[in-house]
Coordinates of all heavy atoms in Angstrom, one line a residue:
F466 N 53.6 172.4 162.3 CA 54.4 173.6 162.7 C 53.7 174.9 162.2 O 53.6 175.9 163.0 CB 55.8 173.5 162.1 CG 56.7 174.6 162.4 CD1 57.3 174.7 163.7 CD2 56.9 175.7 161.5 CE1 58.1 175.8 164.0 CE2 57.8 176.7 161.8 CZ 58.4 176.8 163.1
W467 N 53.3 175.0 161.0 CA 52.8 176.2 160.4 C 51.4 176.7 161.0 O 51.1 177.8 160.8 CB 52.8 176.2 158.9 CG 54.1 175.9 158.3 CD1 54.5 174.9 157.5 CD2 55.3 176.8 158.4 NE1 55.8 175.0 157.1 CE2 56.3 176.1 157.7 CE3 55.5 178.0 159.0 CZ2 57.6 176.7 157.5 CZ3 56.8 178.5 158.9 CH2 57.8 177.9 158.2
R468 N 50.7 175.8 161.5 CA 49.3 176.1 162.0 C 49.4 177.2 163.1 O 48.4 178.0 163.2 CB 48.6 174.9 162.5 CG 49.2 174.2 163.7 CD 48.5 172.9 164.0 NE 49.1 172.2 165.1 CZ 48.9 170.9 165.4 NH1 48.0 170.2 164.6 NH2 49.5 170.3 166.4
R469 N 50.4 177.3 163.8 CA 50.5 178.4 164.8 C 50.6 179.8 164.2 O 50.4 180.7 164.9 CB 51.8 178.1 165.7 CG 53.1 178.4 165.0 CD 54.3 177.9 165.9 NE 54.3 176.4 165.9 CZ 55.2 175.7 166.6 NH1 56.1 176.4 167.3 NH2 55.2 174.4 166.5
F470 N 51.0 179.9 163.0 CA 51.2 181.2 162.3 C 49.9 181.6 161.6 O 49.7 182.8 161.4 CB 52.3 181.2 161.4 CG 53.7 181.0 162.0 CD1 54.3 179.7 162.0 CD2 54.3 182.0 162.7 CE1 55.5 179.5 162.6 CE2 55.5 181.8 163.3 CZ 56.1 180.6 163.3
V471 N 49.1 180.7 161.1 CA 48.0 181.1 160.2 C 46.7 181.3 161.0 O 45.6 181.5 160.5 CB 47.7 180.0 159.1 CG1 48.9 179.9 158.2 CG2 47.4 178.6 159.7
A472 N 46.7 181.2 162.3 CA 45.6 181.5 163.2 C 45.4 183.0 163.4 O 46.4 183.7 163.7 CB 45.7 180.8 164.5
D473 N 44.2 183.5 163.2 CA 44.0 185.0 163.3 C 43.5 185.3 164.8 O 43.6 184.4 165.7 CB 43.0 185.5 162.3 CG 41.6 184.9 162.5 OD1 41.4 184.2 163.5 OD2 40.8 185.0 161.6
E474 N 43.0 186.5 165.0 CA 42.6 186.9 166.3 C 41.6 186.0 166.9 O 41.5 185.8 168.1 CB 42.1 188.3 166.3 CG 43.2 189.3 165.9 CD 43.3 189.4 164.3 OE1 42.5 188.7 163.6 OE2 44.2 190.2 163.9
D475 N 40.7 185.4 166.1 CA 39.7 184.5 166.6 C 40.1 183.0 166.8 O 39.4 182.2 167.1 CB 38.5 184.5 165.6 CG 37.9 185.9 165.5 OD1 37.9 186.6 166.5 OD2 37.4 186.3 164.4
G476 N 41.4 182.8 166.5 CA 42.0 181.5 166.6 C 41.6 180.6 165.4 O 41.9 179.4 165.4
R477 N 41.1 181.2 164.4 CA 40.7 180.4 163.2 C 41.7 180.7 162.1 O 42.6 181.5 162.3 CB 39.3 180.8 162.7 CG 38.3 180.6 163.8 CD 36.9 180.6 163.3 NE 36.6 181.6 162.3 CZ 35.4 181.9 161.8 NH1 34.4 181.2 162.2 NH2 35.2 182.8 160.9
A478 N 41.6 180.0 160.9 CA 42.6 180.2 159.9 C 42.6 181.6 159.4 O 41.6 182.3 159.2 CB 42.3 179.3 158.7
G479 N 43.9 182.1 159.2 CA 44.0 183.5 158.8 C 43.6 183.7 157.4 O 43.1 184.8 157.0
N480 N 43.7 182.8 156.5 CA 43.4 182.9 155.1 C 41.9 182.6 155.0 O 41.4 181.6 155.3 CB 44.1 182.0 154.2 CG 45.6 182.3 154.2 OD1 45.9 183.5 154.4 ND2 46.4 181.3 153.9
R481 N 41.1 183.6 154.5 CA 39.7 183.4 154.4 C 39.3 182.2 153.5 O 38.3 181.6 153.7 CB 39.0 184.7 153.8 CG 39.3 185.9 154.6 CD 38.8 185.8 156.0 NE 39.1 187.0 156.8 CZ 38.7 187.2 158.1 NH1 38.1 186.2 158.7 NH2 39.1 188.3 158.7
D482 N 40.2 181.9 152.5 CA 39.8 180.8 151.6 C 39.7 179.5 152.3 O 39.1 178.6 151.8 CB 40.7 180.8 150.4 CG 42.2 180.5 150.8 OD1 42.5 180.6 152.0 OD2 43.0 180.3 149.9
V483 N 40.4 179.3 153.4 CA 40.4 178.0 154.1 C 39.2 177.9 155.0 O 39.0 176.9 155.7 CB 41.7 177.7 154.9 CG1 42.9 177.9 153.9 CG2 41.8 178.6 156.1
E484 N 38.4 178.9 155.1 CA 37.2 178.8 155.9 C 36.0 178.2 155.1 O 34.9 178.0 155.7 CB 36.8 180.2 156.5 CG 37.8 180.8 157.4 CD 37.4 182.1 158.0 OE1 36.5 182.7 157.4 OE2 38.0 182.6 159.0
M485 N 36.3 177.9 153.9 CA 35.2 177.2 153.1 C 35.2 175.8 153.5 O 36.0 175.3 154.3 CB 35.6 177.3 151.6 CG 35.7 178.8 151.1 SD 36.3 178.9 149.4 CE 36.5 180.6 149.3
D486 N 34.2 175.0 153.0 CA 34.0 173.7 153.5 C 35.0 172.7 152.8 O 35.2 172.9 151.6 CB 32.6 173.2 153.1 CG 31.5 174.0 153.9 OD1 31.9 174.6 154.9 OD2 30.4 174.0 153.5
Y487 N 35.5 171.8 153.6 CA 36.4 170.8 153.0 C 35.9 169.4 153.4 O 35.7 169.1 154.6 CB 37.8 170.9 153.6 CG 38.5 172.2 153.2 CD1 38.4 173.3 154.1 CD2 39.1 172.3 152.0 CE1 39.0 174.5 153.7 CE2 39.7 173.5 151.6 CZ 39.6 174.6 152.5 OH 40.2 175.8 152.1
P488 N 35.6 168.5 152.5 CA 35.1 167.2 152.8 C 36.2 166.4 153.4 O 37.3 166.3 152.9 CB 34.6 166.7 151.5 CG 35.5 167.4 150.5 CD 35.7 168.7 151.0

Side-chain angles (χ1 to χ4, degrees):
F466 181 79
W467 298 119
R468 62 189 177 193
R469 72 189 70 180
F470 295 99
V471 298
D473 63 12
E474 297 82 4
D475 299 325
R477 303 192 321 183
N480 293 334
R481 303 297 181 182
D482 60 350
V483 304
E484 295 181 345
M485 301 172 187
D486 294 342
Y487 296 96

